[in-house]
Each structure stands twice: as C-alpha cells, then as structure tokens.
Amino acid sequence: VADGAEMMFRTALAAGVDVCFANPGTTEMAMVAALDRVPGIRPVLGLFEGVCSGACHGYARVADRPALGLYHLGPGYVNALANLHNARRSFTPVVNLVGDQASWHLPYDAPLSSDTTKLATWVGWHRHVNSASRLASDTAAAIHAATDGAGGPATLVIPADTTWDDAPPEIPEVGFGSRRTVPADRVMEAAAALRSGDSALIVGGPLVTAEMAADMARIAAATGCRPLRYRAATNELGLGRHFIPDIPYFPEAAARATAGVRTAVLLTEGEPVTFFGYPDIPSTTLPADCRRLQLAGVADDIARCLSDLADAVGAGPATPPPAPDPLPAATGPLDIMSLGRVLAAEMPENAVLVQDGITSAAGFLTMTDRAAPFRMIQAMGGAIGAGLPTALGAAIAAPDRRVMCLQSDGSAMYTIQALWSMAREGVDVTVIMANNHRYNILQMELHRAGIDQPGPNALALTELSNPDLDFCSLARGMGVPASRATTAEELTEAVARANATPGPTLVEAIL
Ligand SMILES: Cc1ncc(C[n+]2csc(CCOP(=O)(O)OP(=O)(O)O)c2C)c(N)n1
Ligand SMILES: [Mg+2]
C-alpha cells in the first residue's frame, strides 16, 4: 500500500511536476523516503529555504511549469518567504509542501510548533491537509491554483501523519490552469484609444516574448503610440529583437518616460507606480490627467491580446528592428558601462540571464539589443537575495542552455549557499559577481534624501567593507571555481573561459 507522501509525489509527476527543491526536517521524513519510491522526481537540496524558493521561481520562469518546494514547518517556510514574495510578484507558479507536526501532536505545543496555516496565508492560495486520503487531491488543487490565471505560489500545510498514513492508490485528475481571453470589443475600444494621439502601450506580466515585442513595435508603427514595458518578469531580448524600454525605477525618470501621455493602454499588472513613496512625489507615474484603459491583466492571455490588438489597429507585418551600431570592445578599468559591454559581447546564443546586478546592471540594460538573443529573468518583488537561487533553478530547467547570472555583492550574501547546490548539481552557470563593496543603491537613496555626506553610522550600514568580502574564496569553499577581474580585458577572458567550462564558475568583477 502507498502512503500519503507517495501519492502526493505520484500526483505531481502525473502533472509533469518533477523537480523538488527541498530542505527537510523530521516532519518530512515520510516525504523524503517516498522520493526513492517515486524516482521520476528530482530532489535538489538547498542549504537555506530561500535558496529553494528562489530556485522554484527560476525553474518555472524557464520551464513554464512549477517545481515543488519542500520546507520544515513554520520556521522553514518563513525562511522561504522573501523569494516566494518575489515569485508572487513575478506571477511565477510554485507549489510549496510545508510539513507540520502530526495532527495529534500539535496540541502539546512542542518546540517547533507554530501557526503554520496562518503563515501560509501570506503569498497566495493555501490549504491545510486534513487526511492522508486527501493529500493527493489537495496536491492536484495546489498545482491547478499555482498555474491558473495570474499564477503564483500555492501552499499545502501537511501534517506528518497525512504523509505516513495509508492512502488510496488512485491518482486524481490533475492539470494546469489557464489564462483568460480578452473579449474582442475591449480590444476594439483599445485600438481606438491608441489612435487618439499621445498614447502609450504599456505591457508586462510573466513573460514578454520576442513576438510580443514585435507586435508592440507593429502597433506603435501603425498608431504612433509609445511602447513601454512595466513589470515584465521575463523578457526575450537581444539582437534582432525590438528594444522596448522599461519604465525606469526612479520616479523622476519614470515620469519623464510617460510625460505627455494622454491615453495609456495597459496590458500588465495595474498602472505604473513608483517603487517607494517619497515626500511630494506622486505614487503613480502616469500624468494625472492621462486616461487609463486596462485592456488586460496578468490573469489574461497578454500575448494573444497583443496580437489581436495589432490586427485591430491594422498593423503591418512584423519588420526586424534597425541594426544597432556595433559595440566597441571594452577596455581598461571596470565600471558599469564596461561591465555591460563585456556581458553583451560574451552572452552565448540562447542563454538565460538572471539579472540581479542592482545598480551594476544599469550599463548592460542600455545595450541588451547588442547581445546574442537571450531570455532575461528579473525578480519583480524587490526582495533581494533572488539572483543566485533563481540561476540555480533556471539551470536545472534548461540543461542545454548556459545560464548567466549578473549578481550584485550585497544581494548575493543573502543566499550565497546557492553556489553549493550549483556545484553539487553540476549546472552550467556563469556567475558575474559585481563587487562594488557597498549597498550602492542605498547610498544613492541617502543622496536623494539630501544626505550628501553620510555620517559614520549611515556608512556603517551601507558599506560592505572592513572586512572586504572575498567572493573567490567563498565560491571555492562551496566547490565552485572562481577568478577575479579588475579590468574589462580580464573580465572578457574570464567570462569566455567560464562559458566554455561545464558546471558553474564564478567571476568576481571588482568595481
Ligand atoms: C529582503 C530585503 N532586505 C533589504 C532590502 C533593502 N535593500 C535594497 S537594495 C539593498 C542593497 C543592495 O546592495 P547590492 O546588492 O550590493 O547592490 P548595489 O546597490 O550595490 O548595486 C538593500 C539592503 C530589500 N530590498 N530586500
Ligand atoms: Mg553592492
């Protein structure tokens, strides 16, 4: 006879969910044992739960189906939450299996007990499993919930007895959810609005493909609208693809990007807002008197809606974008521009780039159209510590592609142990560690707040020095070969070598 845990994994496998990023404990032992009876599921150990949840995010952003995250009661799940928040904000399907005390042990209030079900409410759909006979159907419900509409994390709280008790051997019906189709009359209304002059077409959501960018360019050519991206979690970019600018991060730049827009047609999550509130600056970035037309949201099929919209405005056939000027080779000391040039020049064809460079990515982001075609993943939730785990998950999902990871130093240290999982799994990842020895963005924010000469305490909380972090030693200590570059020539050489070497390599770029 099967137990609940075995039927849980068999159900996941029946849906094509076959990777489990895990950090287990005693309450999950029946699950751990069941993985040897359901060998189709690949277990990947993460040495911190935030590694597992970030890896689930990266995996789904490439594989287009969820992975399982396996966690140990409330404390383990809480450790996973920041990257689950990033997954939710990126509309990424993830299925969380959170072990809990055996139901009859809970009243004794043992040390690891907490209100796990209450914690599970934080990032979306959640269910407490009541019996072993329900575990498989609850798993099917979680898989559907994670993939339906907008997509996002779905969490099962699983008392240990429901995993080890006998369960009926039937696999329930299980499958993925779907997105909605935007009705034709709404598309016609938006087409008219785009033609009204001074209009903008703002697109985002889980994935903006090269075809979607081409449709945006066609619609812009037909209507004169301004095409912009907003909250696009994954983007297909690079040579031969239309360069559609993002609405910038800082509010002044964001307001400039949308200045003069009188009609905005939105196919994304809500209207553009600033990341934070600042005194005397509006929270929304569109002009106050601009008409907003929400054509599609993230629960809709945005790709289909865009192509319907292109038809509705009578757009011409897709044309290739104008060829950009060739990039001059980067030379001399590293800065964010030369770092960007090296990355653009060394991007392997069809790579996946996990972009978590924070301020060090600013150069590269102006020249994405010079790189060989690639897919870029960025965590939309703003919780730092996403990059390395996301790269781990992306690489497990795409064993035939090189994963590049542009990673800033401060963010890296939240989940640095993802490097160990990369080494253990032997995944092909090139990490470019942009080491500027500081929380640079926070120093920029201090400057924005009018503090030009931060005091010693403000510096203590924003400098990553004394001691300096040695990322080459950290990487080697976790089984990842590493080297350091201080010039563009050194970085070019090291990245080219890393890209030609199977397995993970870290290149520390000193800025
Ligand atoms: C979970 C979480 N904690 C803290 C922050 C606040 N925060 C935003 S950026 C940042 C530092 C980023 O430094 P680094 O990764 O080195 O990038 P840099 O700014 O130097 O480019 C911090 C601490 C956050 N966004 N998320
Ligand atoms: Mg930094």
Side-chain angles (χ1 to χ4, degrees):
V1 287
D3 62 18
E6 182 175 333
M7 293 316 298
M8 172 180 83
F9 287 125
R10 288 202 187 285
T11 302
L13 201 52
V17 175
D18 58 2
V19 175
C20 180
F21 296 98
N23 190 278
T26 303
T27 39
E28 294 76 46
M29 284 302 111
M31 299 190 207
V32 170
L35 283 167
D36 278 315
R37 280 174 274 131
V38 191
I41 302 230
R42 176 177 179 180
V44 178
L45 178 61
L47 301 184
F48 173 68
E49 292 82 353
V51 171
C52 302
S53 54
C56 286
H57 164 66
Y59 178 89
R61 288 268 58 96
V62 173
D64 201 26
R65 61 179 190 275
L68 304 168
L70 193 161
Y71 307 110
H72 186 46
L73 306 101
Y77 185 59
V78 166
N79 279 344
L81 281 182
N83 275 334
L84 290 175
H85 164 90
N86 284 327
R88 179 173 80 87
R89 287 297 193 180
S90 307
F91 326 108
T92 303
V94 174
V95 175
N96 301 312
L97 311 173
V98 185
D100 206 7
Q101 299 285 13
S103 52
W104 36 260
H105 192 56
L106 208 52
Y108 295 94
D109 200 26
L112 266 163
S113 300
S114 64
D115 192 343
T116 315
T117 300
K118 188 199 248 169
L119 298 170
T121 62
W122 195 57
V123 282
W125 187 99
H126 52 89
R127 183 174 289 177
H128 182 273
V129 178
N130 286 322
S131 75
S133 61
R134 296 292 305 274
L135 185 44
S137 57
D138 286 345
T139 302
I143 289 170
H144 189 269
T147 51
D148 199 42
T155 301
L156 291 178
V157 176
I158 307 170
D161 45 330
T162 71
T163 66
W164 66 54
D165 283 351
D166 290 353
E170 285 83 41
I171 294 171
E173 190 140 329
V174 56
F176 296 157
S178 56
R179 295 205 156 81
R180 299 176 311 211
T181 301
V182 177
D185 55 329
R186 300 240 317 273
V187 175
M188 294 312 291
E189 186 195 355
L194 282 176
R195 284 202 210 87
S196 66
D198 296 327
S199 60
L201 175 65
I202 303 178
V203 175
L207 171 64
V208 178
T209 61
E211 290 70 32
M212 292 166 74
D215 282 341
M216 291 176 74
R218 292 166 64 210
I219 294 167
T223 64
C225 76
R226 199 182 302 177
L228 292 164
R229 294 177 203 259
Y230 174 66
R231 290 196 179 172
T234 321
N235 294 279
E236 288 181 347
L237 303 172
L239 272 169
R241 293 166 170 179
H242 286 271
F243 183 86
I244 310 283
D246 262 299
I247 295 186
Y249 171 83
F250 283 117
E252 296 79 5
R256 278 196 298 279
T258 56
V261 172
R262 300 186 57 81
T263 305
V265 171
L266 302 157
L267 294 83
T268 183
E269 167 91 337
E271 73 166 277
V273 299
T274 58
F275 234 77
F276 297 107
Y278 301 91
D280 306 320
I281 293 181
S283 292
T284 57
T285 63
L286 289 169
D289 59 355
C290 165
R291 176 182 168 218
R292 282 101 160 139
L293 207 150
Q294 184 80 49
L295 175 59
V298 289
D300 297 314
D301 184 342
I302 292 177
R304 159 122 192 239
C305 183
L306 260 182
S307 103
D308 290 348
L309 187 59
D311 291 344
V313 299
T319 48
D325 301 333
L327 268 186
T331 54
L334 278 176
D335 56 29
I336 60 171
M337 293 314 283
S338 55
L339 172 71
R341 279 191 199 168
V342 174
L343 178 53
E346 296 304 318
M347 184 81 71
E349 176 103 29
N350 202 26
V352 176
L353 171 70
V354 174
Q355 194 290 94
D356 198 22
I358 319 246
T359 62
S360 296
F364 175 72
L365 291 176
T366 65
M367 48 183 107
T368 54
D369 56 343
R370 319 301 181 85
F374 67 104
R375 172 179 285 217
M376 183 169 80
I377 309 176
Q378 329 181 77
M380 302 309 290
I384 66 173
L388 295 172
T390 303
L392 166 68
I396 300 254
D400 51 341
R401 295 162 83 169
R402 175 62 48 171
V403 173
M404 308 290 287
C405 179
L406 176 57
Q407 179 61 66
S408 57
D409 53 341
S411 177
M413 288 306 293
Y414 285 59
T415 44
I416 191 75
Q417 58 276 67
L419 292 173
W420 178 85
S421 299
M422 289 181 194
R424 187 186 223 210
E425 300 297 325
V427 288
D428 296 335
V429 181
T430 300
V431 178
I432 301 177
M433 184 63 66
N435 188 354
N436 60 10
H437 302 100
R438 58 179 56 98
Y439 286 164
N440 191 33
I441 185 117
L442 299 190
Q443 294 189 345
M444 290 168 73
E445 293 281 12
L446 282 172
H447 186 73
R448 281 176 58 82
I451 299 151
D452 291 323
Q453 296 290 326
N457 289 342
L459 281 177
L461 294 186
T462 57
E463 292 276 305
L464 300 178
S465 51
N466 188 28
D468 282 353
L469 288 156
D470 174 353
F471 283 97
C472 290
S473 295
L474 286 164
R476 288 183 198 125
M478 287 181 269
V480 173
S483 65
R484 184 167 290 139
T486 56
T487 65
E489 290 88 340
E490 285 169 8
L491 186 63
T492 301
E493 218 266 315
V495 171
R497 199 159 9 96
N499 285 347
T501 307
T505 303
L506 182 142
V507 182
E508 184 175 14
I510 306 292
L511 291 162

